[in-house]
């Protein structure tokens, strides 16, 4: 189930990255959510990484949801605390609505990591002895 969630999440991030490149009233320079070319490229790359990890099986998909869920939550917190409100880390264009979207995205990814989670994903076998 996490594999499917990861693939959809990765596709959504790629679409968000592309949407930020196209003229629209919501995403872009001096728009509701401030993003620039670098920011959009990061979204697309992260989406691609999530999809690639998901293709590795349920365990990798779960790992992708957790890693990038926490990444976006920490990115949002960092954005709220950074003194330069126009840029994250001095080079990624961002603003308060963007920080909130990062927080929401992170929480959603973490929630997807626990929905229908099995005790042990089916593609993990750490024991050299076969189970009966």
């Amino acid at each position: 189930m996490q594999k499917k969630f990861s693939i959809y999440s990765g596709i959504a991030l790629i679409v968000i990255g592309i949407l930020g490149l196209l003229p629209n009233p919501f995403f872009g320079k001096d728009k509701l959510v401030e993003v620039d070319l670098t920011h959009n490229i990061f979204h697309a790359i992260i989406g691609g990484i999530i999809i690639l990890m998901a293709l590795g099986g349920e365990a990798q998909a779960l790992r992708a949801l957790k890693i990038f869920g926490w990444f976006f939550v920490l990115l949002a917190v960092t954005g709220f605390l950074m003194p330069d409100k126009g840029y994250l880390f001095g080079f990624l264009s961002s603003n308060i609505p963007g920080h909130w979207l990062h927080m929401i995205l992170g929480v959603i990814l973490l929630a997807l990591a626990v929905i229908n989670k099995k005790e042990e994903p089916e593609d993990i076998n750490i024991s050299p002895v076969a189970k009966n």
Side-chain angles (χ1 to χ4, degrees):
M1 190 67 118
Q2 277 75 19
K3 183 174 179 176
K4 203 180 318 183
F5 290 151
S6 293
I7 291 171
Y8 292 146
S9 299
I11 291 169
L13 278 164
I14 292 170
V15 168
I16 289 169
I18 293 169
L19 183 61
L21 297 172
L22 302 174
N24 69 78
F26 303 108
F27 302 100
K29 200 72 174 152
D30 300 321
K31 304 288 174 129
L32 176 64
V33 178
E34 181 105 11
V35 293
D36 56 12
L37 178 63
T38 307
H39 200 135
N40 292 318
I41 290 171
F42 272 119
H43 280 157
I45 289 172
I46 289 171
I49 292 170
I50 290 172
I51 291 170
L52 288 174
M53 288 180 75
L55 294 176
E58 286 290 325
Q60 288 291 352
L62 179 61
R63 186 172 291 125
L65 291 170
K66 288 179 181 178
I67 288 170
F68 289 104
W70 282 113
F71 171 78
F72 280 111
V73 166
L74 293 173
L75 186 65
V77 170
T78 303
F80 289 128
L81 298 176
M82 296 218 35
D84 184 3
K85 296 297 181 191
Y87 290 90
L88 280 169
F89 309 112
F91 69 96
L92 287 176
S93 183
S94 193
N95 61 359
I96 298 298
H99 304 325
W100 279 112
L101 285 176
H102 287 144
M103 179 64 75
I104 292 165
L105 176 61
V107 169
I108 288 171
L109 291 176
L110 290 171
L112 291 174
V114 297
I115 292 175
N116 292 329
K117 181 180 169 211
K118 297 177 182 177
E119 287 297 316
E120 182 179 347
E122 59 196 51
D123 60 342
I124 292 181
N125 183 4
I126 58 173
S127 172
V129 180
K131 293 181 182 178
N132 292 329

